[in-house]
Amino acid sequence: MSAPADSLLNDADYRRLTHALLSLVESQVDAWLDEDVIDIDTHRSGGLLELSFPNGSKIILNTQPPLHEVWMAARGGGYHFRWDGQVWRDTRDGVEFLQRLSQESSAQAGQALSYAAH
């Protein structure tokens, strides 16, 4: 499978970057649990990561290898992100992935949550 014509990534780089992104999210959620900030359950299956909030709402993060994108489904909407050479950016408005995930997680958790790159 070849990369989309406008992609900055080859397939191996895409897999590496998306694995690192989902691992970063899982690590932050684990840290919040350890620090007694919030108990968000995570379930990962391949390129799909499900975040289950205490109120029953969910955010689904899903890799899209054929498109070299990462998709997010949250109460606030559905978002598609593409690598810009530095970070994952929303294909519609350019918002960075971790910023959007922080906004959506905060809204669904009812408290301020911030994911930060390590």
Side-chain angles (χ1 to χ4, degrees):
M1 181 177 307
S2 62
D6 63 349
S7 178
L8 298 171
L9 301 174
N10 62 39
D11 289 344
D13 286 340
Y14 172 81
R15 284 189 302 273
R16 179 181 53 79
L17 288 166
T18 55
H19 178 79
L21 182 67
L22 295 182
S23 294
L24 182 150
V25 173
E26 285 180 307
S27 294
Q28 181 61 69
V29 169
D30 288 346
W32 288 332
L33 179 61
D34 290 345
E35 297 162 8
D36 203 26
V37 174
I38 189 169
D39 183 3
I40 298 173
D41 290 327
T42 61
H43 176 73
R44 189 164 173 180
S45 177
L48 185 139
L49 177 61
E50 183 176 280
L51 307 177
S52 299
F53 291 79
N55 64 5
S57 69
K58 295 181 183 204
I59 292 178
I60 309 295
L61 307 176
N62 196 8
T63 61
Q64 296 294 319
L67 302 174
H68 284 185
E69 292 183 352
V70 175
W71 292 1
M72 178 188 307
R75 277 188 175 168
Y79 307 95
H80 297 184
F81 298 85
R82 192 171 294 137
W83 185 252
D84 72 358
Q86 300 291 319
V87 295
W88 294 95
R89 293 217 175 265
D90 190 302
T91 58
R92 286 181 300 202
D93 62 13
V95 171
E96 190 270 329
F97 177 88
L98 294 176
Q99 179 183 347
R100 174 80 71 215
L101 182 58
S102 297
Q103 292 167 344
E104 293 296 334
S105 293
S106 297
Q108 289 183 218
Q111 67 186 79
L113 298 172
S114 179
Y115 297 82
H118 299 297

